[in-house]
Amino acid sequence: MAHDARQRLDTLCIHAGQEPDKTSGAVMTPIVLASTFVQDGPGNHKGHDYSRAGNPTRDALEGCIAALEGAKHGIAYGSGCAATTSVLMSLRTGDHVLVGDDVYGGTFRIFDKVLKQWGLEATFLDMSDPAKVREAVRPTTKMIWLETPSNPMLKVFDIAAIADVAKKAKLTLAVDNTFATPMLQRPLDLGADLVVHSTTKYLNGHSDVVGGFVATSDDGLAEKMHFLQKSMGGVPSPFDCYMVLRGVKTLAVRMRQHVESARSLAAWLEAHAQVERVFYPGLRSHKGYDVAARQMKGPGGMISFELKGGLAAASAFLKAVNVFVCAESLGGVESLAEHPAIMTHASVPADQRRALGIGDGLLRLSVGLEHPDDLREDLERGFRAALAT
Ligand code: P1T
C-alpha cells in the first residue's frame, strides 16, 4: 500500500516508504543483502549501484522515518553516534556550535574528545532561555544542537523560539528527537532544519538494533548528508534496516502506553518519601512543563529521579529491581533502569555532571510496556533495598 503524506502517523508508521515487492508481491519489505547491483553497461543500472551508496531495504526505512518526521529526505546510519558525527562533519574547522548543556554522554564525547581535535568549537549552555542562546552566538557560530527532552535531566527547550534565534542568525538548528519520537514531537514543524535520532531506542523499540537517522526537508542539507553518508560510510546493514522498519510499525501504540505508564509512575515517585526530586516533563513541578505541554503530544516514557541516600542507596536499588533491568539504553518494550553518573554519562566531566544535577543518587528509568502495577511493585522492591543501606 503506497502511503499518502496526509495520512495519520499511526498509518504512516505501518506503510510509509513501503510497497509490496514488485517481483514477488511480498507484503513485507524484502531484506536485500546484495552489496552490489548489476549494471547493463557502465553507469546503467536500476537505481542502485553499491549498497554503501544506497540499498532498497534502506530506501524503505529512509522513506518511512522521513514521512513520520514530515521530512522530504531521510538518511539512515549505523548508529545514533554515526548520525551525530555525520551532521557535525558537514561543518568546518573553526566553526562553532551552541550545544544544549544536557545531552547524551556519547554526544558530549563527540564534541569534547573527537571533533575538538579537528578544530570544531562547542559551547554547552542551558537553552531554557532563548535570549541566552541569542547572546551566545559568535561570528563563527554555524549550528545549534539540542536534545529535548534531554538525556538524562529531561530538560525541555522551546524548539520554535530557538528556531527563531537560529533563523535570524542564519544558523542550522539540529534537534535530537530520540526521547520524544515523531509521535510526540515533530521538530521540523516547529522550525528545526535537521532532526537526529538514535533509532536504537523507541523507533526500533525492541533493544535488538543499533541505528541512527537524520531527517530534513532542506534540499541543500540533504545533499550534504547523502554525500557524507556515502563518503564516510557509517551505513546500517539491510538486516538492521528491516528490523527498524518492523519495529516502527508499532511505534504509535507503543508510545501511547509508554506515556501512560510513565505519567502514573512519575506522579507516584513524586509522592514517595525516599525520592528527593523527579524529573519528568509531564509533572507540573517540572521547569519545562508549559513548553512541553505546548510542543509535545505527551511527555514521553523517560523519568529521572534523585533517590535519597546517594550512591549506596542507588546501587542497592539497581541491584534489587528485577522487572526493570539495570542496563544502558532506553526506548525498548522492556523497562530499563540506570545510573547516569557511572553509566551513560561517565564521559561528562564530574564538575559538569554536578552542575547539571547528575549526582550519585540520580537514577534514570526507561518505562517499558510491562503492566504498570508490576513496574510500581518492582520500584518498591528497589526502595526497600535502598532503605536498608
Ligand atoms: O547509541 P547510539 O545509537 O549510537 O545513539 C546515541 C544517542 C544519541 N542521542 C541520544 C539522545 C541518545 O540517548 C543516544 C544513546 N543513548 C544511550 C545509549 C543511553 O542509554 O542514553
mmCIF file of all heavy atoms in Angstrom, residues 79-81 104 107 147 151 176 178-179 198 200-201 210-211 328-330 344 364, ligand 1:
data_model
loop_
_atom_site.group_PDB
_atom_site.id
_atom_site.type_symbol
_atom_site.label_atom_id
_atom_site.label_comp_id
_atom_site.label_asym_id
_atom_site.label_seq_id
_atom_site.Cartn_x
_atom_site.Cartn_y
_atom_site.Cartn_z
ATOM 1 N N SER A 79 24.459 3.941 13.562
ATOM 2 C CA SER A 79 24.214 4.212 14.990
ATOM 3 C C SER A 79 23.790 5.672 15.135
ATOM 4 O O SER A 79 23.983 6.474 14.203
ATOM 5 C CB SER A 79 25.485 3.968 15.832
ATOM 6 O OG SER A 79 26.464 4.946 15.555
ATOM 7 N N GLY A 80 23.241 5.997 16.281
ATOM 8 C CA GLY A 80 22.901 7.394 16.546
ATOM 9 C C GLY A 80 24.165 8.248 16.547
ATOM 10 O O GLY A 80 24.169 9.376 16.049
ATOM 11 N N CYS A 81 25.255 7.697 17.108
ATOM 12 C CA CYS A 81 26.514 8.460 17.134
ATOM 13 C C CYS A 81 27.034 8.700 15.720
ATOM 14 O O CYS A 81 27.611 9.765 15.454
ATOM 15 C CB CYS A 81 27.559 7.735 17.982
ATOM 16 S SG CYS A 81 27.235 7.914 19.750
ATOM 17 N N TYR A 104 23.209 13.351 25.641
ATOM 18 C CA TYR A 104 23.733 12.002 25.863
ATOM 19 C C TYR A 104 25.261 12.071 26.012
ATOM 20 O O TYR A 104 25.922 12.816 25.270
ATOM 21 C CB TYR A 104 23.320 11.112 24.678
ATOM 22 C CG TYR A 104 24.047 9.799 24.648
ATOM 23 C CD1 TYR A 104 24.026 8.935 25.756
ATOM 24 C CD2 TYR A 104 24.766 9.396 23.533
ATOM 25 C CE1 TYR A 104 24.713 7.739 25.741
ATOM 26 C CE2 TYR A 104 25.452 8.192 23.501
ATOM 27 C CZ TYR A 104 25.429 7.367 24.619
ATOM 28 O OH TYR A 104 26.107 6.187 24.595
ATOM 29 N N THR A 107 27.279 11.842 22.900
ATOM 30 C CA THR A 107 27.206 13.049 22.055
ATOM 31 C C THR A 107 28.185 14.085 22.587
ATOM 32 O O THR A 107 28.934 14.703 21.826
ATOM 33 C CB THR A 107 25.762 13.601 22.056
ATOM 34 O OG1 THR A 107 24.909 12.576 21.556
ATOM 35 C CG2 THR A 107 25.634 14.857 21.208
ATOM 36 N N GLU A 147 18.965 18.551 22.501
ATOM 37 C CA GLU A 147 18.057 17.431 22.752
ATOM 38 C C GLU A 147 16.906 17.983 23.565
ATOM 39 O O GLU A 147 17.141 18.742 24.516
ATOM 40 C CB GLU A 147 18.731 16.362 23.621
ATOM 41 C CG GLU A 147 19.822 15.595 22.957
ATOM 42 C CD GLU A 147 20.470 14.576 23.919
ATOM 43 O OE1 GLU A 147 19.947 14.343 25.032
ATOM 44 O OE2 GLU A 147 21.516 14.036 23.537
ATOM 45 N N ASN A 151 18.777 14.210 27.754
ATOM 46 C CA ASN A 151 19.247 12.987 28.385
ATOM 47 C C ASN A 151 20.390 13.321 29.335
ATOM 48 O O ASN A 151 21.438 13.780 28.883
ATOM 49 C CB ASN A 151 19.731 12.051 27.258
ATOM 50 C CG ASN A 151 20.190 10.701 27.745
ATOM 51 O OD1 ASN A 151 20.154 10.405 28.928
ATOM 52 N ND2 ASN A 151 20.615 9.865 26.808
ATOM 53 N N ASP A 176 17.934 16.592 18.356
ATOM 54 C CA ASP A 176 17.936 15.145 18.587
ATOM 55 C C ASP A 176 16.583 14.790 19.203
ATOM 56 O O ASP A 176 16.281 15.177 20.342
ATOM 57 C CB ASP A 176 19.101 14.787 19.523
ATOM 58 C CG ASP A 176 19.221 13.278 19.759
ATOM 59 O OD1 ASP A 176 18.189 12.585 19.722
ATOM 60 O OD2 ASP A 176 20.352 12.810 20.001
ATOM 61 N N THR A 178 15.321 11.800 19.813
ATOM 62 C CA THR A 178 15.298 10.391 20.245
ATOM 63 C C THR A 178 14.304 10.139 21.377
ATOM 64 O O THR A 178 13.575 9.151 21.366
ATOM 65 C CB THR A 178 16.724 9.970 20.690
ATOM 66 O OG1 THR A 178 17.610 10.108 19.575
ATOM 67 C CG2 THR A 178 16.754 8.541 21.188
ATOM 68 N N PHE A 179 14.281 11.037 22.390
ATOM 69 C CA PHE A 179 13.421 10.794 23.552
ATOM 70 C C PHE A 179 11.936 10.964 23.208
ATOM 71 O O PHE A 179 11.095 10.274 23.759
ATOM 72 C CB PHE A 179 13.789 11.748 24.706
ATOM 73 C CG PHE A 179 14.859 11.208 25.631
ATOM 74 C CD1 PHE A 179 15.887 10.415 25.140
ATOM 75 C CD2 PHE A 179 14.837 11.496 26.988
ATOM 76 C CE1 PHE A 179 16.880 9.912 25.987
ATOM 77 C CE2 PHE A 179 15.819 11.006 27.854
ATOM 78 C CZ PHE A 179 16.835 10.220 27.355
ATOM 79 N N SER A 198 18.632 8.400 17.488
ATOM 80 C CA SER A 198 19.206 7.085 17.696
ATOM 81 C C SER A 198 18.013 6.142 17.499
ATOM 82 O O SER A 198 17.119 6.073 18.352
ATOM 83 C CB SER A 198 19.760 6.947 19.121
ATOM 84 O OG SER A 198 20.014 5.586 19.380
ATOM 85 N N THR A 200 18.132 3.135 17.654
ATOM 86 C CA THR A 200 18.356 2.073 18.650
ATOM 87 C C THR A 200 17.234 2.085 19.697
ATOM 88 O O THR A 200 16.935 1.057 20.299
ATOM 89 C CB THR A 200 19.688 2.373 19.388
ATOM 90 O OG1 THR A 200 20.696 2.711 18.442
ATOM 91 C CG2 THR A 200 20.136 1.211 20.241
ATOM 92 N N LYS A 201 16.642 3.256 19.907
ATOM 93 C CA LYS A 201 15.740 3.482 21.031
ATOM 94 C C LYS A 201 14.286 3.215 20.628
ATOM 95 O O LYS A 201 13.971 2.144 20.158
ATOM 96 C CB LYS A 201 15.975 4.881 21.587
ATOM 97 C CG LYS A 201 17.460 5.197 21.823
ATOM 98 C CD LYS A 201 18.056 4.252 22.837
ATOM 99 C CE LYS A 201 19.525 4.385 23.161
ATOM 100 N NZ LYS A 201 20.500 4.788 22.213
ATOM 101 N N VAL A 210 21.265 -1.425 16.724
ATOM 102 C CA VAL A 210 21.884 -0.113 16.935
ATOM 103 C C VAL A 210 21.768 0.623 15.605
ATOM 104 O O VAL A 210 22.177 0.090 14.559
ATOM 105 C CB VAL A 210 23.362 -0.251 17.362
ATOM 106 C CG1 VAL A 210 24.053 1.115 17.382
ATOM 107 C CG2 VAL A 210 23.452 -0.891 18.746
ATOM 108 N N GLY A 211 21.170 1.817 15.624
ATOM 109 C CA GLY A 211 20.981 2.544 14.362
ATOM 110 C C GLY A 211 20.786 4.028 14.596
ATOM 111 O O GLY A 211 20.533 4.476 15.716
ATOM 112 N N GLU A 328 22.236 0.158 30.201
ATOM 113 C CA GLU A 328 22.202 1.396 29.420
ATOM 114 C C GLU A 328 21.148 1.251 28.334
ATOM 115 O O GLU A 328 20.633 0.176 28.088
ATOM 116 C CB GLU A 328 23.578 1.643 28.785
ATOM 117 C CG GLU A 328 24.665 1.747 29.830
ATOM 118 C CD GLU A 328 25.927 2.425 29.334
ATOM 119 O OE1 GLU A 328 25.936 2.961 28.213
ATOM 120 O OE2 GLU A 328 26.908 2.423 30.102
ATOM 121 N N SER A 329 20.872 2.343 27.654
ATOM 122 C CA SER A 329 19.899 2.418 26.562
ATOM 123 C C SER A 329 18.481 2.653 27.081
ATOM 124 O O SER A 329 18.267 2.789 28.309
ATOM 125 C CB SER A 329 19.938 1.201 25.652
ATOM 126 O OG SER A 329 19.399 1.546 24.380
ATOM 127 N N LEU A 330 17.545 2.729 26.176
ATOM 128 C CA LEU A 330 16.173 3.131 26.504
ATOM 129 C C LEU A 330 15.270 2.884 25.305
ATOM 130 O O LEU A 330 15.744 2.559 24.209
ATOM 131 C CB LEU A 330 16.158 4.633 26.836
ATOM 132 C CG LEU A 330 16.681 5.554 25.715
ATOM 133 C CD1 LEU A 330 15.580 6.442 25.164
ATOM 134 C CD2 LEU A 330 17.819 6.426 26.233
ATOM 135 N N THR A 344 25.738 5.964 31.524
ATOM 136 C CA THR A 344 25.611 6.669 30.235
ATOM 137 C C THR A 344 26.336 8.012 30.140
ATOM 138 O O THR A 344 26.597 8.500 29.053
ATOM 139 C CB THR A 344 24.134 6.929 29.907
ATOM 140 O OG1 THR A 344 23.531 7.564 31.041
ATOM 141 C CG2 THR A 344 23.413 5.650 29.586
ATOM 142 N N ARG A 364 17.896 6.880 36.250
ATOM 143 C CA ARG A 364 17.069 7.137 35.062
ATOM 144 C C ARG A 364 16.293 5.876 34.711
ATOM 145 O O ARG A 364 16.852 4.789 34.682
ATOM 146 C CB ARG A 364 17.972 7.540 33.882
ATOM 147 C CG ARG A 364 17.185 8.060 32.670
ATOM 148 C CD ARG A 364 18.083 8.198 31.452
ATOM 149 N NE ARG A 364 18.429 6.897 30.901
ATOM 150 C CZ ARG A 364 19.233 6.717 29.844
ATOM 151 N NH1 ARG A 364 19.778 7.749 29.243
ATOM 152 N NH2 ARG A 364 19.498 5.499 29.404
HETATM 153 O O1 P1T B 1 23.737 4.537 20.876
HETATM 154 P P1 P1T B 1 23.545 5.198 19.572
HETATM 155 O O2 P1T B 1 22.539 4.527 18.692
HETATM 156 O O3 P1T B 1 24.840 5.496 18.876
HETATM 157 O O4 P1T B 1 22.845 6.621 19.876
HETATM 158 C C1 P1T B 1 23.477 7.672 20.531
HETATM 159 C C2 P1T B 1 22.441 8.549 21.179
HETATM 160 C C3 P1T B 1 22.082 9.730 20.560
HETATM 161 N N1 P1T B 1 21.143 10.549 21.099
HETATM 162 C C4 P1T B 1 20.533 10.251 22.255
HETATM 163 C C5 P1T B 1 19.512 11.195 22.816
HETATM 164 C C6 P1T B 1 20.835 9.060 22.926
HETATM 165 O O5 P1T B 1 20.177 8.787 24.062
HETATM 166 C C7 P1T B 1 21.813 8.182 22.380
HETATM 167 C C8 P1T B 1 22.200 6.917 23.057
HETATM 168 N N2 P1T B 1 21.840 6.842 24.417
HETATM 169 C C9 P1T B 1 22.078 5.777 25.227
HETATM 170 C C10 P1T B 1 22.705 4.658 24.864
HETATM 171 C C11 P1T B 1 21.579 5.952 26.617
HETATM 172 O O6 P1T B 1 21.455 4.961 27.378
HETATM 173 O O7 P1T B 1 21.251 7.084 26.985
#
